[in-house]
């Protein structure tokens, strides 16, 4: 699970070869400093910047760009280096923004070489600063950690370097500016009609009076706050999408993200040609641009959206391109909705202000003059709201058209159960990049469903809440049955998308109350063993899985992860626990908490089907368990929080259509392939 850091927070690094990705709405300069244990940089040779991009164990970009990837090999750093600081600065370009307060909040993420996100930090609250120390990777007692710093300097790189003790800081800052200016002169692309974006800015709905919505950047969505009733739809998503790339220098887009539009002079999130207060562009930074007709004799038509194409994103494979495209659609809908809500809020606030002004004058408070002023204010409010809604409807229509093209092209791991791709299902030879947990939508566009794709292997356990909740619209018994059906659909999908024998499913059903809903798993022989019943079955299943986690942890700590004894099954395991806490004593409860915390790293994943009210007798003992699990609901419910732009997304599970035999057919193939392998 990726950690979303706040200023001053740190996070351990389990990997020593990492990438630090910087995402900004405008071109920025990225660099890094190598400091000693006291945090001082002894000389300019320990600063990596566009003029000197490579140091031992470190390489930065050679020019200003809206997206950067800084390669770091911690093992290759000099022994005297204890702190690695990552910095960004605004280049001194004519017409460019002079301070970070005038641009969208930059975002930094630390990822593995495979793109899996480890930690991320969004630099909110910047104002007059033109240079910022974003992150610091430091070594303490032989272990490396990353810390969110966010220290800004209004006087730019000179002040930043002087604060870190770099000799001749002003000369170094001047040299970096010259290197950046030379790189930009060398690489600025010639604008042609092909570089026009295919989408208008969502902020254009505001008109001259209406400011754009609050700054929205492109981070990976972090988890909801611990202990809150909200989870994040991007939990466990790892590198759900890479940072926007390209920038002024036209850097090649990274694998795993959409093709960049940041080299366009209309900007990525804020128009690059604007200065302070420029209009905010909520278009996804990686959207492809619409081509114009090439016939020289034909007049250039008005700009319009490109026809949607499945796989319209960069990536090493079609599955990766589709994965990135789906998350790009999620971002587009979030941005468009944020712009609409901001426009409505502004229209309402302006209406209140104008009404106050009309009522403040006693002469116009009553009579026809006051009535006319109030009606005019309301008419202006309605006009602004209608304009904002028209732009939102346009963007939603484009996303709907894209969804209609993408959905039929999705592979089984990403597809709904009613997708025809399941009728041609074959057991795969390798696991997929991600898996679909359900659908997400917003109230302003309830008909548009965005697939919720989560990276594999799962980094958090899942909890299907079988209790009553807002919007359930069903009685308790029906919800409990629906919760087990949801668990079966998820387990069947995980079994189906893994190679034969590389994923097993165990079930604990102490009272046997879920027998009918579990029939697709039990009747096809897809389970590793029959469902465990009674207290004895609970103890036996938990004991075996706990032992497996213990053995894996001991092997990893001993430096021999492959030296496991022949007894335990080394494939990944999913434990479905139904009707919790029935049949669980105190020891079993502690074992379950242990599996939830330590199991994912050892290949044991938890899928809990429970009503929290049923476990109220355990009191606060189980609070850490509930917080550690990703909460899902068997019926549509708006409990997934989006702390990126503040949306509450409605989650809806992907269930097998009533009367369909696709689940039995798929699970039969899985069981047959596993039997042949054994």
């Amino acid at each position: 699970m990726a950690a979303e850091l706040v200023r001053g927070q740190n996070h351990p690094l389990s990997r020593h070869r990492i990438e630090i990705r910087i995402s900004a709405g405008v071109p920025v300069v990225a660099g890094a400093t190598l400091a000693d244990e006291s945090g001082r940089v002894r000389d300019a040779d320990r600063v990596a910047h566009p003029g000197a991009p490579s140091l031992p164990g470190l390489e930065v970009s050679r020019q200003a760009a809206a997206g950067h990837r800084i390669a770091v090999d911690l093992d290759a750093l000099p022994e005297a280096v204890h702190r690695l600081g990552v910095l960004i600065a605004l280049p001194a370009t004519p017409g460019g923004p002079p301070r970070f307060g005038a641009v969208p909040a930059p975002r930094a993420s630390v990822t593995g070489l495979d793109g899996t996100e480890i930690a991320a930090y969004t630099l909110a609250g910047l104002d007059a600063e033109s240079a910022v120390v974003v992150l610091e990777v430091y070594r303490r007692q032989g272990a490396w950690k990353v810390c969110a710093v966010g220290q800004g300097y209004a006087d730019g790189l000179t002040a930043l370097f002087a604060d870190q003790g770099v000799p001749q800081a002003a000369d170094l800052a001047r040299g970096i500016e010259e290197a950046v200016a030379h790189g930009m002169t060398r690489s600025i692309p010639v604008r042609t009609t092909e570089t026009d974006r295919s989408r208008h800015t969502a902020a254009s709905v505001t008109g001259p009076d209406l400011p754009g919505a609050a700054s929205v950047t492109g981070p990976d969505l972090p988890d909801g706050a611990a202990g809150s009733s909200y989870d994040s739809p991007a939990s466990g998503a790892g590198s759900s999408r890479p940072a926007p790339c390209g920038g002024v220098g036209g850097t090649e887009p990274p694998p795993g993200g959409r093709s960049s539009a940041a080299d366009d002079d209309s900007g990525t999130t804020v128009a690059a040609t604007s200065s302070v207060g420029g209009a905010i562009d909520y278009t996804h930074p990686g959207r492809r641009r619409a081509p114009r007709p090439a016939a020289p004799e034909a007049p250039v038509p008005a700009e319009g959206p490109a026809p949607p194409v499945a796989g319209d994103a960069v990536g090493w494979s079609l599955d990766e391109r589709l994965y990135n495209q789906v998350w790009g659609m999620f971002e587009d809908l979030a941005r468009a909705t944020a712009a609409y809500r901001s426009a409505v809020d502004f229209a309402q606030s302006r209406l209140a202000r104008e009404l106050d002004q009309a009522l403040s004058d006693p002469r116009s408070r009553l009579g026809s003059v006051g009535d006319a002023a109030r009606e005019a204010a309301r008419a202006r409010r309605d006009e602004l709201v209608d304009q904002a809604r028209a732009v939102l409807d346009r963007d939603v229509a484009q996303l709907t058209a894209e969804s209609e093209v993408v959905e039929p092209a999705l592979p089984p791991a990403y597809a709904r159960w009613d997708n025809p791709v399941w009728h041609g299902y074959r057991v795969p030879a390798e696991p997929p990049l991600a898996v679909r947990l359900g659908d997400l939508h917003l109230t302003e566009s309830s008909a548009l469903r965005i697939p919720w794709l989560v990276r594999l292997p799962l980094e958090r356990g899942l909890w299907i809440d079988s209790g009553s909740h807002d919007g359930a619209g069903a009685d308790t018994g029906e919800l409990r049955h629906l919760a087990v059906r949801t668990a079966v659909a998820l387990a069947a999908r995980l079994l189906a998308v893994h190679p034969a024998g590389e994923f097993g499913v165990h079930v604990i059903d102490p009272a046997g109350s879920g027998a009918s809903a579990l029939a697709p798993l039990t009747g096809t022989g897809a389970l590793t063993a029959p469902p465990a019943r009674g207290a004895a079955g609970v103890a036996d299943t938990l004991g075996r899985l706990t032992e497996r986690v213990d053995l894996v942890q001991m092997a990893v700590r001993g430096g021999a992860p492959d030296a496991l004894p022949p007894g335990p099954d080394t494939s990944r395991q999913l434990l479905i626990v139904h009707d919790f806490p029935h049949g669980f004593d105190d020891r079993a409860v502690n074992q379950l908490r242990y599996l939830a915390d330590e199991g994912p790293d050892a290949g044991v994943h938890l899928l809990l089907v429970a009503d929290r009210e049923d476990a109220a007798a355990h009191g606060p003992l189980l609070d850490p368990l509930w917080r550690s699990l990703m909460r899902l609901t068997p019926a549509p419910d708006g409990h997934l929080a989006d702390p990126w732009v503040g949306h509450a997304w409605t989650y809806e599970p992907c269930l097998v259509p009533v009367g369909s035999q696709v689940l039995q057919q798929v699970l039969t193939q899985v069981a047959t392939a596993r039997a042949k392998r054994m």
Side-chain angles (χ1 to χ4, degrees):
M1 179 178 61
E4 184 68 18
L5 305 180
V6 297
R7 186 174 182 179
Q9 185 180 0
N10 59 47
H11 186 75
L13 293 176
S14 58
R15 308 183 187 189
H16 286 187
R17 298 185 65 191
I18 58 175
E19 279 188 349
I20 299 174
R21 302 182 179 185
I22 305 295
S23 171
V26 295
V28 297
V29 180
T33 59
L34 301 180
D36 58 19
E37 196 166 6
S38 64
R40 295 188 63 81
V41 181
R42 296 301 179 183
D43 55 63
D45 292 339
R46 292 199 172 187
V47 180
H49 55 83
S54 298
L55 292 177
L58 175 66
E59 185 171 1
V60 303
S61 303
R62 296 178 178 270
Q63 55 196 16
H68 292 271
R69 287 187 171 192
I70 301 174
V72 179
D73 185 350
L74 298 176
D75 293 331
L77 294 178
E79 188 65 26
V81 173
H82 289 263
R83 297 175 181 272
L84 185 153
V86 178
L87 61 94
I88 59 173
L90 291 169
T93 55
R99 57 189 182 91
F100 277 107
V103 302
R107 179 177 171 82
S109 60
V110 181
T111 73
L113 297 185
D114 58 354
T116 302
E117 186 172 279
I118 302 169
Y121 172 46
T122 301
L123 285 85
L126 297 179
D127 187 12
E129 300 89 343
S130 59
V132 183
V133 178
V134 184
L135 299 172
E136 184 178 73
V137 179
Y138 64 96
R139 176 165 45 192
R140 179 167 298 172
Q141 296 179 350
W144 288 94
K145 294 184 178 183
V146 59
C147 177
V149 179
Q151 177 63 53
Y153 299 85
D155 293 330
L157 287 174
T158 300
L160 187 153
F161 290 141
D163 190 39
Q164 297 197 6
V166 180
Q168 299 177 332
D171 293 341
L172 176 59
R174 193 178 307 110
I176 293 175
E177 292 177 0
E178 292 174 356
V180 171
H182 178 67
M184 294 174 67
T185 302
R186 185 177 63 248
S187 60
I188 291 179
V190 177
R191 178 172 175 82
T192 66
T193 56
E194 293 296 324
T195 63
D196 288 335
R197 297 178 68 86
S198 65
R199 295 194 175 182
H200 304 285
T201 72
S204 63
V205 307
T206 60
D209 296 327
L210 186 57
S215 173
V216 178
T217 58
D220 285 331
L221 298 177
D223 293 331
S228 71
S229 60
Y230 289 88
D231 284 303
S232 163
S235 287
S239 58
S240 59
R241 64 195 187 296
C245 62
V248 175
T251 315
E252 182 180 353
R258 292 196 172 204
S259 57
S260 173
D263 54 354
D264 186 275
D265 65 2
S266 63
T268 306
T269 307
V270 174
T273 58
S274 66
S275 58
V276 179
I280 296 177
D281 180 4
Y282 289 90
T283 307
H284 183 263
R287 258 333 149 168
R288 292 187 186 274
R289 296 173 289 275
R292 298 258 183 115
E297 68 277 3
V300 178
E303 182 179 318
V309 178
D312 186 15
V314 298
W316 298 110
S317 64
L318 178 59
D319 286 4
E320 187 177 2
R321 294 197 297 272
L322 288 169
Y323 172 86
N324 291 320
Q325 184 175 14
V326 166
W327 276 108
M329 294 164 58
F330 177 92
E331 294 174 10
D332 277 357
L333 183 57
R335 285 186 172 93
T337 305
Y340 169 74
R341 292 180 179 178
S342 179
V344 172
D345 290 344
F346 174 80
Q348 288 294 128
S349 64
R350 194 174 77 167
L351 172 64
R353 186 174 65 252
E354 292 180 349
L355 291 178
D356 288 342
Q357 291 174 353
L359 295 175
S360 63
D361 187 353
R363 294 171 299 179
S364 61
R365 188 175 301 168
L366 301 174
S368 59
V369 176
D371 293 340
R374 287 188 287 271
E375 287 300 323
R378 293 189 180 97
R380 285 190 290 271
R381 185 272 313 272
D382 294 342
E383 181 182 5
L384 289 176
V385 172
D386 290 343
Q387 290 176 359
R389 185 71 215 192
V391 173
L392 176 63
D393 290 343
R394 180 202 66 197
D395 292 341
V396 169
Q398 183 174 345
L399 285 169
T400 301
E402 186 172 9
S403 177
E404 292 173 352
V405 172
V406 170
E407 277 286 355
L410 295 177
Y414 306 167
R416 293 193 185 103
W417 286 107
D418 58 358
N419 193 312
V421 71
W422 286 107
H423 296 292
Y425 168 77
R426 294 293 182 271
V427 178
E430 58 184 22
L433 177 72
V435 70
R436 185 175 190 159
L437 293 186
D439 294 333
L440 300 172
H441 70 269
L442 293 170
T443 54
E444 289 86 353
S445 52
S446 58
L448 176 59
R449 299 299 201 268
I450 304 295
W452 182 16
L453 305 182
V454 176
R455 291 290 291 264
L456 291 178
L458 297 174
E459 296 183 355
R460 293 177 69 182
L462 304 175
W463 163 34
I464 301 178
D465 188 356
S466 59
S468 59
H469 51 85
D470 295 340
D475 58 33
T476 303
E478 184 179 351
L479 275 177
R480 291 179 184 270
H481 181 76
L482 200 59
V484 185
R485 282 187 57 203
T486 303
V488 170
L490 286 173
R493 183 183 295 271
L494 289 168
L495 277 169
V497 301
H498 282 84
E502 293 190 13
F503 195 89
V505 176
H506 305 262
V507 174
I508 292 179
D509 186 19
S513 57
S516 61
L518 292 168
L521 292 173
T522 57
T524 57
L527 294 179
T528 303
R533 303 284 173 83
V538 171
D540 178 65
T541 303
L542 291 177
R544 285 187 285 107
L545 293 176
T546 301
E547 180 185 14
R548 179 244 169 87
V549 173
D550 289 339
L551 290 173
V552 171
Q553 287 186 337
M554 287 189 293
V556 171
R557 283 196 296 265
D562 298 328
L564 291 174
D569 187 354
T570 57
S571 63
R572 290 195 171 271
Q573 306 293 319
L574 176 71
L575 173 61
I576 302 177
V577 178
H578 176 241
D579 206 16
F580 177 79
H582 183 79
F584 280 71
D585 55 19
D586 290 344
R587 184 172 185 271
V589 168
N590 288 331
Q591 286 178 318
L592 191 69
R593 287 182 54 188
Y594 175 73
L595 291 178
D597 293 338
E598 306 295 337
D601 290 338
V604 177
H605 308 279
L606 181 61
L607 178 53
L608 187 65
V609 182
D611 180 358
R612 189 168 182 173
E613 293 298 323
D614 294 342
H618 290 273
L621 175 67
L622 291 181
D623 286 349
L625 174 65
W626 305 118
R627 287 196 297 265
S628 68
L629 302 176
M630 171 65 70
R631 177 176 175 259
L632 307 178
T633 54
D637 185 65
H639 71 281
L640 289 174
D642 175 4
W644 174 27
V645 287
H647 299 327
W649 292 78
T650 298
Y651 165 79
E652 187 171 351
C654 282
L655 297 176
V656 180
V658 177
S660 174
Q661 297 299 312
V662 65
L663 200 62
Q664 287 78 0
Q665 296 170 3
V666 169
L667 290 177
T668 299
Q669 288 195 45
V670 170
T672 302
R674 185 180 63 188
K676 290 180 179 179
R677 186 175 182 272
M678 297 174 63

